[in-house]
Amino acid sequence: MFLVRKKLPCHQQSSGSPPPQGRGRGWSCARRAALLLLLLPLIAPAQTLTLPDLIQQTLTTAAPGLQARAAREGGYWAYRAYQASYRPQLALQGVVPSFNRAIIPVVQPDGTTAFQSVRYNNSLLAVNLTQNIGLTGAQVVVGSQVQRFDDFIRTEKRYNNQPFTLGLTQPLGYFNALKWDSRIAPLLYQESQRQYLEDREAIAQRVTELYFDVLLQQVNAAVAGQNAQATAELLRVGREKYQLGRLSESDLLQLELNLLNAQQAQAQALLDAETATVSLRTYCALPTPDPTAGAAPLAVPTPAPTLAVVPAEALAQAQQHRVAVLALARRQLQAARDVAQARGTTGLLATLTANLGYVNQAPQLTDSYRALQNQQQVALAFSLPLVDWGRRRATIRTAELARDQTQAAVSQDQRSFEQTVLTQAAQVPALASQTRLAARADTLAQRRYAITRATYEAGRLSLTDLTLASAAKDLARRGYILALRAGWVGYYRLRGLTLFDFETQQPLAAQ
């Protein structure tokens, strides 16, 4: 657990002073002694953790950072697979061996069927070089094939050799997936790279939120500890004044009640800090602290950098760099592709197949390369639905309506995206001003409390004034931490929305 290294001593009495009476004093010492024993391993000297350290550690070793890198690499390899589909593919194919020993029916010349015993091996080996043509969706094949047939009953063997073949398969009217992939796949790849940058900024923002959640509870625990110690001192002085008749019993009881409330607030703050620390440790993959070594406390960060951001410039950077712009364009292309696919799977569909080359057969492999003969094959297969009861029209219309719906959603998302960027950029000056004001309020509240306490101890102010000053001091301290939190969260949120570093005036780059 991350805790501010604050000593929580039992109230020390000066030599010669009698110990104060009453159960409040003894209960406080026992509680603090138990709390000190409980926290003794946690207040040992440890290296203070800072916000940049935790962000870097999360990006490097924690699950969110590893997932972001894995997603980026997945996008890269998916793009590599798309590129490979446009490059020549060389493959070795074969069936070696293909042995068969059986009794099969054989149709005789007179039309009768005789069952004959066969025992043969029919092996095939081929090398094919294929190339996809993205513009038309065709496929060109250049290959070479040799087939060997062994008849073990007649002790014969034959070779059927095709040393060179050139084939073309051209779909006509079909959906051309390669053509659409050439437009969508590059966008998906760019999205994966930009998404990685956005994921990093989102991780930094989440770490910042968790960091300040813990830090706020640490501040609450520290403030509660200071209040408990100060209240114990005031109770001691109050008892002395009560014995001298200078303090009413009502004020003395109020001081005891204040001490109990401060101790309860301190215990609750410690529990809240531990709960917040578990969330931070889990997200950042921090090791469980060694009870004998103690856990590192968190440092209060400096205010977020003051940025001079013009909302229009932020929107321009976001439109140029952010993944949402690519995603919107990609969604529109995918909707148009679905319409083309609906058209390309209904109606008249045909496939043109052409093949030419050389072929020969011989008992010996070398003889099969002599006196090669030409071979040509051309085929046009088609399918045309004559009556489909409106199926084609309904399929296409469904895809068109989905496309129109996607375009409307894209338009709405575009406006929402632009408004989000403009709003966040416009909040930058306000967040910086809020942090400066909160820092000033914290300083003034601390000074006012010190003056009020000294005045109260001199007997010139009431206990109510002291209580109000203490509450104002605590509220100002928490307000400053919350202002820091809002400033840093806004800083990383703006970076994530624009993928632009306004400090260096450079686009964010992936590592």
Side-chain angles (χ1 to χ4, degrees):
M1 182 176 67
F2 301 104
L3 293 173
V4 174
R5 291 178 291 173
K6 175 166 182 62
K7 190 175 181 183
L8 301 173
C10 180
H11 176 66
Q12 302 295 327
Q13 301 294 327
S14 59
S15 58
S17 299
Q21 303 298 322
R23 63 175 184 176
R25 158 75 174 154
W27 182 86
S28 174
C29 287
R31 185 181 182 89
R32 292 191 181 188
L35 187 61
L36 181 61
L37 291 176
L38 178 65
L39 299 179
L40 185 58
L42 301 177
I43 59 178
Q47 182 182 2
T48 301
L49 292 177
T50 63
L51 180 58
D53 292 339
L54 281 181
I55 291 176
Q56 186 60 38
Q57 180 172 347
T58 305
L59 292 174
T60 304
T61 61
L66 297 177
Q67 291 172 354
R69 287 202 300 274
R72 181 185 65 167
E73 292 180 4
Y76 167 76
W77 288 108
Y79 185 66
R80 285 284 301 271
Y82 150 75
Q83 288 181 317
S85 65
Y86 276 86
R87 295 172 180 171
Q89 308 291 318
L90 182 63
L92 176 65
Q93 300 172 341
V95 181
V96 180
S98 178
F99 178 77
N100 188 13
R101 180 175 183 176
I103 297 177
I104 61 174
V106 178
V107 178
Q108 302 300 307
D110 59 359
T112 61
T113 299
F115 294 93
Q116 296 183 359
S117 176
V118 297
R119 184 159 54 95
Y120 63 84
N121 177 57
N122 191 4
S123 299
L124 174 68
L125 192 64
V127 177
N128 292 323
L129 180 66
T130 61
Q131 173 66 59
N132 293 322
I133 309 299
L135 182 62
T136 62
Q139 185 180 72
V140 178
V141 181
V142 178
S144 178
Q145 174 181 308
V146 61
Q147 181 179 6
R148 172 173 170 167
F149 181 82
D150 294 280
D151 189 340
F152 298 107
I153 294 179
R154 298 176 179 82
T155 315
E156 294 179 354
K157 66 178 178 180
R158 303 291 296 181
Y159 289 92
N160 183 26
N161 191 2
Q162 299 179 23
F164 174 79
T165 59
L166 175 63
L168 171 68
T169 302
Q170 174 63 65
L172 302 174
Y174 280 91
F175 169 69
N176 188 353
L178 290 175
K179 175 183 176 182
W180 287 98
D181 285 347
S182 66
R183 302 175 63 183
I184 296 176
L187 292 180
L188 288 173
Y189 171 68
Q190 295 178 46
E191 278 187 64
S192 67
Q193 305 309 300
R194 294 188 184 183
Q195 186 62 52
Y196 172 69
L197 297 176
E198 289 193 22
D199 290 342
R200 287 175 60 89
E201 300 306 314
I203 291 170
Q205 179 180 336
R206 183 56 181 159
V207 172
T208 301
E209 294 171 347
L210 295 174
Y211 185 94
F212 276 98
D213 288 345
V214 177
L215 186 59
L216 181 61
Q217 298 305 329
Q218 288 185 355
V219 170
N220 288 339
V223 168
Q226 294 172 358
N227 291 341
Q229 184 177 359
T231 306
E233 175 64 20
L234 291 175
L235 180 59
R236 182 189 68 80
V237 176
R239 284 175 177 153
E240 293 177 355
K241 291 182 178 181
Y242 177 74
Q243 292 175 359
L244 297 175
R246 297 169 54 189
L247 186 69
S248 66
E249 184 178 2
S250 176
D251 287 346
L252 181 62
L253 293 177
Q254 183 62 48
L255 286 174
E256 292 184 1
L257 181 60
N258 290 348
L259 178 59
L260 292 176
N261 291 336
Q263 291 170 338
Q264 290 175 354
Q266 182 181 14
Q268 184 62 47
L270 292 173
L271 293 177
D272 293 341
E274 182 178 1
T275 302
T277 299
V278 170
S279 299
L280 178 64
R281 184 189 303 134
T282 302
Y283 189 81
C284 300
L286 297 175
T288 302
D290 185 358
T292 61
L298 301 184
V300 178
T302 58
T306 302
L307 305 176
V309 181
V310 178
E313 179 187 357
L315 180 58
Q317 295 295 341
Q319 291 174 339
Q320 182 178 356
H321 302 294
R322 194 164 182 244
V323 66
V325 178
L326 292 176
L328 295 177
R330 186 254 308 160
R331 287 168 57 189
Q332 290 180 322
L333 281 176
Q334 288 177 332
R337 179 198 60 185
D338 293 341
V339 174
Q341 187 172 8
R343 296 180 185 275
T345 53
T346 58
L348 175 61
L349 302 176
T351 302
L352 174 64
T353 304
N355 189 296
L356 59 88
Y358 299 96
V359 64
N360 195 13
Q361 61 85 26
Q364 300 296 329
L365 179 61
T366 56
D367 294 339
S368 66
Y369 285 95
R370 300 169 183 167
L372 294 173
Q373 304 177 25
N374 294 328
Q375 69 166 1
Q376 299 88 25
Q377 296 175 349
V378 177
L380 178 64
F382 69 91
S383 172
L384 176 64
L386 299 178
V387 179
D388 64 356
W389 306 103
R391 175 179 174 273
R392 179 175 185 269
R393 181 172 179 272
T395 301
I396 296 175
R397 186 56 181 160
T398 300
E400 290 175 343
L401 291 175
R403 177 197 60 193
D404 296 341
Q405 184 179 7
T406 298
Q407 290 176 346
V410 165
S411 252
Q412 180 63 31
D413 293 344
Q414 177 70 26
R415 289 191 294 269
S416 176
F417 161 72
E418 293 176 356
Q419 189 60 45
T420 300
V421 175
L422 292 174
T423 302
Q424 187 64 39
Q427 290 178 353
V428 170
L431 292 175
S433 176
Q434 183 181 7
T435 303
R436 290 192 299 268
L437 294 176
R440 179 60 177 166
D442 181 40
T443 302
L444 294 177
Q446 298 291 337
R447 292 175 56 189
R448 175 174 176 262
Y449 173 74
I451 295 173
T452 303
R453 178 177 175 180
T455 307
Y456 171 78
E457 292 177 353
R460 296 196 299 270
L461 280 179
S462 65
L463 180 60
T464 302
D465 294 329
L466 179 62
T467 302
L468 292 176
S470 177
K473 167 183 68 70
D474 299 344
L475 183 62
R477 186 59 179 170
R478 296 186 184 98
Y480 175 62
I481 298 299
L482 290 175
L484 285 177
R485 183 185 193 274
W488 278 107
V489 170
Y491 171 77
Y492 286 114
R493 179 170 171 76
L494 181 63
R495 284 167 56 98
L497 287 173
T498 61
L499 295 186
F500 189 81
D501 189 347
F502 287 94
E503 286 188 273
T504 61
Q505 294 296 310
Q506 295 292 331
L508 299 181
Q511 295 181 356

